[in-house]
Amino acid sequence: MDFAKFQRENWERKPLLVQRADRDYFSELMTIADYDSSLNLAGDNLEHLRVVQDGKETPVSELGSGSSHTALEAVYARYRTGATIVMNSIQDRFPSMNRLMRSLGSEIGARIQVNSYLTPANARGFAPHYDMHDVFIVQVHGTKRWQLFDSQLPLPLRTQPYDRAQPDPALVSEFELKAGDLLYLPRGTVHAATSTDEASLHLTVGVHPILWANVLYEAIQNVVETDARFRAGLPMGFTGSEEIQQQVRDTLTELVADLPSKIAVDDAVATAVTRGVSMNAPALRGHLLDLERLDEITAGTKVQRRLPIQWDVTVDEQTVLGFHGKTVRFPAHVADEVRFTAQRSSGVFTAATIPGELDEAGRLVLVRTLVNEGFLTFA
C-alpha cells in the first residue's frame, strides 16, 4: 500500500492489517534474543519496566522483592505465572528503535514512542481498551490473537480514557498476528490480544501527532495576548442578573465572530511546522567526531545532510533554518544555498558544488557552520 492510499483510507479512520508470511521480516529491528539481553543487562535500573496481568498494572518498584538486585527475578516470577512484561520507551535503549523513531517521526511530523510487550504463552495482559494515540503493532516473535471491537469514541484525547465501567462493545473482527505481520490501529480502536501456544513479543509504535485542536488553541491564545477585550473579566453581578447574563451572551457572540479575522493563520501554521520539526530528539550520532574535524573542511570535502532529520527553511529579513529544536540564521541572500543543503535528502556534495551566487569562501563558511551545528556530517 502506498503512502497516499494509507493516508486517505486508513490514517485516523480504520485499522490496517498487513500479513507477510515472513517471520524474520522485523529481525533487523529486534529479536527475542535482543530483548532477553536488554533485560539481563538492565541491572537495578528497571524503572522503565512494568508487569500487567488481567488488566492490572504493577510497576517493578511495587513488586515487593526486597533487594533491588532481585527485582529482575521478581519480574520473571510474574512472567512465569502469566504476566506481560512491558518495557517503555525502548527507542532510548535500542539503536534500531532509535533509528525507527527518527525516521518515522521525520516522515509523519509527529512524536514517536516505542514500547514492547512480552507475553507468555496462552496469556492476556490487557482487557479490551483503546489507546489515546495511533499505533503500529509490529509482531516480532510468536503469535497473538487480536480482537477488535466497536469504538466508543473516535479519536479520543488524552483526557478521554477508555471507560471500563461500560459493558464490552460488540466484537467486530478477530485474527492472528504472526511474526513479521503489522497492524495499524487509529486511536480509539477498542482492542484486546491473547498469546497462543508460544511467547509473544510485539512492539507498539505510538504516534503522537499535532492535532488541529493544538493549533487552534495556540492561535486563540495569541489573540488573547494581543487583544485586551479577550482578557477582560465578565461584568460584576452577572451571576444574579438575567439582564447582565444577556449582555454576556451578546459580548461572547461578538468576540467569537471576531476570532476569524484575529487569528493569524500563517503564523499558526509556521508554529506548527516548528513544533513538528522539533518533536523528536536530535539525530547527532558521530557529531562529536565531526566537531574534531571542522578544521579539515575544504571546498572539496564531501559532506551530506544528516538522516533522518526534520527541518524547515523560512526567509524574511534573514534565512532561518530550523532543526533539532533550534534555529540557525543566515543573511537573506543565501536562501538558495541553504535550501540546496537542506533538500539534499540523499547524495554527497561539497562546498564547491553548491549552486548560487556565494563565492567559494562563503560556501565554505556555510558548510562549516552547518557541520558545526549538526545539520551536515562528513560523508
Side-chain angles (χ1 to χ4, degrees):
M1 175 177 290
D2 63 37
F3 175 77
K5 183 178 180 182
F6 172 77
Q7 186 174 33
R8 182 177 63 253
E9 298 182 2
N10 297 91
W11 179 248
E12 295 189 330
R13 289 178 175 83
K14 65 179 182 179
L16 172 68
L17 173 62
V18 178
Q19 296 175 308
R20 296 192 175 89
D22 182 357
R23 299 182 67 86
D24 296 323
Y25 188 86
F26 292 118
S27 59
E28 182 182 353
L29 289 178
M30 181 184 287
T31 65
I32 196 167
D34 297 330
Y35 189 89
D36 178 83
S37 296
S38 178
L39 280 178
N40 184 58
L41 295 174
D44 298 339
N45 182 23
L46 299 178
E47 292 84 0
H48 60 292
L49 291 181
R50 53 195 171 101
V51 293
V52 183
Q53 193 164 11
D54 295 327
K56 181 181 179 181
E57 301 185 27
T58 307
V60 172
S61 60
E62 297 179 9
L63 289 182
S65 57
S67 168
S68 60
H69 297 293
T70 64
L72 183 57
E73 171 54 35
V75 171
Y76 270 116
R78 290 293 187 93
Y79 175 75
R80 296 184 196 108
T81 59
T84 292
I85 301 175
V86 182
M87 187 183 296
N88 291 329
S89 299
I90 61 173
Q91 74 277 357
D92 299 330
R93 296 172 177 85
F94 292 85
S96 59
M97 296 297 102
N98 194 270
R99 291 193 297 270
L100 174 64
M101 173 201 71
R102 297 180 192 282
S103 179
L104 192 60
S106 178
E107 289 197 37
I108 296 178
R111 182 174 66 84
I112 305 297
Q113 178 175 325
V114 188
N115 298 340
S116 62
Y117 298 81
L118 177 65
T119 304
N122 303 306
R124 186 177 79 170
F126 295 90
H129 68 285
Y130 61 62
D131 297 310
M132 281 79 78
H133 53 272
D134 298 75
V135 295
F136 292 94
I137 308 298
V138 176
Q139 189 68 27
V140 171
H141 178 85
T143 301
K144 262 194 171 179
R145 186 151 195 85
W146 283 77
Q147 294 177 311
L148 304 185
F149 303 85
D150 276 340
S151 295
Q152 295 178 327
L153 180 68
L155 304 179
L157 299 171
R158 294 180 65 183
T159 55
Q160 299 172 302
Y162 184 75
D163 184 1
R164 300 184 185 279
Q166 297 295 322
D168 286 346
L171 180 66
V172 172
S173 63
E174 190 169 8
F175 51 86
E176 286 191 348
L177 202 67
K178 299 180 179 180
D181 294 347
L182 179 140
L183 174 65
Y184 164 73
L185 297 179
R187 64 186 185 274
T189 304
V190 181
H191 60 275
T194 304
S195 59
T196 56
D197 56 358
E198 63 179 329
S200 165
L201 174 62
H202 77 259
L203 312 176
T204 295
V205 183
V207 182
H208 303 262
I210 298 172
L211 307 182
W212 285 111
N214 302 140
V215 178
L216 187 58
Y217 290 159
E218 190 156 328
I220 293 175
Q221 182 62 34
N222 289 335
V223 173
V224 171
E225 292 175 356
T226 56
D227 190 328
R229 294 180 304 155
F230 291 84
R231 301 196 300 274
L234 270 62
M236 290 187 293
F238 80 95
T239 57
S241 169
E242 291 186 5
E243 181 181 353
I244 300 178
Q245 289 170 15
Q246 183 57 51
Q247 294 174 13
V248 171
R249 294 188 188 95
D250 294 341
T251 301
L252 183 58
T253 300
E254 178 184 334
L255 292 176
V256 171
D258 280 354
L259 270 177
S261 64
K262 292 288 185 178
I263 291 177
V265 173
D266 289 344
D267 290 346
V269 173
T271 299
V273 170
T274 299
R275 180 176 296 174
V277 165
S278 62
M279 288 185 81
N280 290 299
L284 287 170
R285 183 176 182 179
H287 183 52
L288 180 62
L289 303 179
D290 288 350
L291 292 176
E292 292 297 302
R293 297 178 58 191
L294 275 179
D295 292 341
E296 300 177 17
I297 297 176
T298 66
T301 300
K302 294 179 179 180
V303 295
Q304 60 188 9
R305 197 189 77 195
R306 286 187 171 275
L307 294 176
I309 194 171
Q310 299 177 74
W311 57 269
D312 69 301
V313 175
T314 58
V315 182
D316 193 356
E317 295 180 355
Q318 293 180 305
T319 299
V320 181
L321 174 63
F323 64 100
H324 289 173
K326 65 179 180 181
T327 56
V328 181
R329 300 178 181 275
F330 300 92
H333 68 271
V334 301
D336 290 342
E337 289 85 347
V338 172
R339 285 197 179 98
F340 173 84
T341 65
Q343 292 169 352
R344 297 283 292 187
S345 60
S346 62
V348 176
F349 62 96
T350 67
T353 61
I354 297 175
E357 299 181 0
L358 273 181
D359 58 20
E360 180 175 307
R363 293 195 297 269
L364 188 57
V365 169
L366 175 63
V367 168
R368 285 178 173 169
T369 299
L370 293 179
V371 171
N372 183 64
E373 295 290 343
F375 189 76
L376 299 180
T377 184
F378 287 88

